[in-house]
Amino acid sequence: MALSGTGTRRMSSLRHSLATVAMVGVVLYVLIDVVLQFLPPHYSPISDAESNLAVGPYGWIMNVNFLGRALFCIAAVAAIALAYRALLPPRRDGVLGVGLGLFLVGGASSAVLAFFPTDVSAAHASTLETSTTVGAIHLAVATAGFVSALIAILVLTIWLRVNRFLPQALPWAVAFAALTLTGLLAVVAASIWAPGVVGLAERLALVGILGWTWCVSAGIRRLA
């Protein structure tokens, strides 16, 4: 059933607003991460995992940040779905559904992390080892979230390319997808051979995920 002119304008406005929320959310997430790096207990962005920021006197701020990441992921997924509905022929698209579903899993995983703090050793070592049940849950959820986000980004980037959707954002989406993959492979390698740089490797993957979300949302905002 075709939407009326008023309905179309409302959907366009909603799509624009959701994309804006996703973009602002990404920026705020990064800013909060950066600020927390300068606060006690002064974790290293090179050796310490991002999750360590949620352990300490200001850990509650990072937990709020985790919840915010879940919210802007939902906003990004909704914006993509609305853009698809508006610009492509109406049909069931299994590939898009899988990609968006996995992206939601990645966002939901971030929210779960807020309730299960990671284990931090006295030396702040990031060896991806756990010493408590809560820490083990955190590591399992974080791993599932990163893997889900990676697969989602790869699937959705391929979908964008095949459907010639958001062509202006596509080169950036490809670049950030490649960075996400590189970062997660680096996390695996660092955890085995160079645990002192696990934090840096993880942040490369995060830049990929956040950058992909921002550029695709920006592409959606540019739509008429």
Side-chain angles (χ1 to χ4, degrees):
M1 181 177 178
L3 292 173
S4 66
T6 300
T8 299
R9 286 192 295 273
R10 287 177 178 173
M11 294 300 288
S12 177
S13 177
L14 177 59
R15 183 181 70 230
H16 186 279
S17 297
L18 288 167
T20 301
V21 167
M23 293 176 69
V24 172
V26 168
V27 173
L28 290 176
Y29 187 89
V30 173
L31 289 176
I32 291 172
D33 253 25
V34 170
V35 170
L36 286 174
Q37 288 292 163
F38 292 96
L39 297 177
H42 304 293
Y43 292 113
S44 168
I46 305 299
S47 61
D48 291 313
E50 182 203 32
S51 292
N52 287 16
L53 296 174
V55 179
Y58 300 98
W60 66 272
I61 300 176
M62 189 64 219
N63 287 328
V64 171
N65 215 22
F66 281 141
L67 295 174
R69 190 164 107 198
L71 291 177
F72 72 67
C73 284
I74 293 172
V77 165
I80 294 170
L82 288 175
Y84 162 74
R85 180 180 176 183
L87 301 178
L88 292 180
R91 59 184 173 85
R92 294 179 64 88
D93 193 313
V95 174
L96 177 63
V98 168
L100 294 181
L102 287 172
F103 203 80
L104 284 175
V105 170
S109 298
S110 178
V112 173
L113 297 182
F115 302 98
F116 295 92
T118 189
D119 292 328
V120 179
S121 68
H124 298 171
S126 290
T127 57
L128 300 186
E129 297 178 353
T130 61
S131 58
T132 67
T133 300
V134 171
I137 293 173
H138 181 99
L139 180 59
V141 171
T143 301
F146 270 116
V147 172
S148 296
L150 170 63
I151 296 174
I153 285 173
L154 294 176
V155 169
L156 291 172
T157 301
I158 293 171
W159 182 86
L160 291 174
R161 176 68 180 83
V162 170
N163 290 277
R164 298 178 181 178
F165 195 69
L166 303 179
Q168 292 181 329
L170 182 59
W172 289 102
V174 171
F176 283 119
L179 183 59
T180 303
L181 176 59
T182 301
L184 288 183
L185 290 176
V187 169
V188 175
S191 66
I192 299 172
W193 295 296
V197 296
V198 165
L200 177 61
E202 181 197 25
R203 283 165 175 80
L204 287 177
L206 275 170
V207 170
I209 294 170
L210 297 175
W212 190 94
T213 305
W214 195 92
C215 74
V216 169
S217 298
I220 292 172
R221 283 188 82 250
R222 296 190 190 101
L223 297 174

